[in-house]
Amino acid sequence: MSERWDPTAFKERVDTLLRDFLAEEAGHLVRIDPALQPVADHLQRAAGHGKRLRAAFCYWGWRAADQPDSDALLRAAASMELVHAAAIVHDDLIDDSPLRHHLPTVHVSLETALAGRPRARAAARSLAMLIGDHLMALAGQLFAVSGLPAAYLARARPMWARLARELVAGECLEILSTGTGPDPDVSMKVVRYKTAKYTVEQPLLIGGLLAGASPALRAGLSAYGMPLGEAFQLRDDLLGLFGEPGDTGKDSLDDIRGHRPTTLLAKAWQAALPAQREHLARVFGRRDLGEEQLREMRELMIDLEAPQEVEHMITSRVREAVGHLDGLGMSRHARGALTDLARSATDRRT
């Protein structure tokens, strides 16, 4: 890869690597028994989408420490995308989400494949859970066999363990907080642990640790990664309600129907007058909401200035993140790439 950051070329490298890796694994499954073909197919499809941001952050954590482009490092970085694929399968299962990237989610697609069989829905959900588990195991495998020296991998293993622990903790916190009284502090803790850390900060730090980055550089990468990861999820919260399904590939009412502890909904609740809170309380968690309720909720959110406040939170966090890059002593190319990634991660429609 040239010194100039080319996100399209990087994505193509990661896509090719993951496609080949998962095709090989799918072949192993089918050789065990042809009946595993639906599982093998969904294993491959689960990691077939995405901008490869997590791999990119890991890659530039490595490059920020003045390490050169490396195919071995690319394999280690690509393992971050398998962590994400596993998290998505599990998250869609937990939320009972029907769509992802305009396509049926894994558990919904498998239910169609099992139509006519006894307890097809329960079987499909069980298979999806196991596919998510296997994707997480494959992430660890790809990292371990990346080809990087054992000493490099040993430096990053504690952070890998922390990533897995905190990702599970964040998902559990969301489940425990769903349906409870909206609280901005709780919502931001869910944002931090469920998404922000494993999306930006921890891939950066894993890349830096693999490269032998100094404590000062790692501290700077963390200071950049944490607010940027939060901004990424806050943008997702906004798109979840105000984005168009044709762009996001998801239903705009998912968060409201699920009464999820998003920062957007918590900010609206915090600003609402008693009568408005009564209205929100009647709507949160309802499964029968339609286009009329979506229009009303969008109007109410805007009246309460909740999206405007979340937009301000995004802007301030991106500014804070990029500001931490100054004075870290990294190359001009690394600083430019991380600046570009901050924009692409938060200025998006999907």
Side-chain angles (χ1 to χ4, degrees), residues 69-141:
D69 181 66
S70 158
D71 287 338
L73 184 278
L74 189 78
R75 286 189 286 274
S79 71
M80 301 293 102
E81 296 299 328
L82 294 181
V83 171
H84 179 52
I88 289 300
V89 173
H90 285 149
D91 195 49
D92 287 342
L93 182 60
I94 291 165
D95 293 340
D96 204 17
S97 297
L99 290 174
R100 171 78 63 171
H101 300 298
H102 307 284
L103 297 169
T105 49
V106 172
H107 64 282
V108 171
S109 181
L110 283 166
E111 186 174 352
T112 301
L114 295 171
R117 301 191 190 186
R119 301 183 68 247
R121 184 172 189 271
R125 294 176 69 84
S126 297
L127 288 173
M129 178 184 67
L130 292 167
I131 288 169
D133 291 348
H134 193 40
L135 283 164
M136 185 63 86
L138 289 172
Q141 178 187 333

Side-chain angles (χ1 to χ4, degrees), residues 11 44 46 78 81 123 151 162 178 200 225 245 286 290 328 349:
K11 181 181 183 304
Q44 291 179 270
E81 296 299 328
R162 184 173 175 182
T178 293
V200 184
R286 275 180 52 188
L328 286 182
R349 297 177 64 194

Side-chain angles (χ1 to χ4, degrees), residues 59 85 98 100 131 135 142 159 200 205 227 261 268 272 306 340:
Y59 177 87
R100 171 78 63 171
I131 288 169
L135 283 164
L142 182 57
M159 183 55 64
V200 184
L205 290 175
D340 289 346

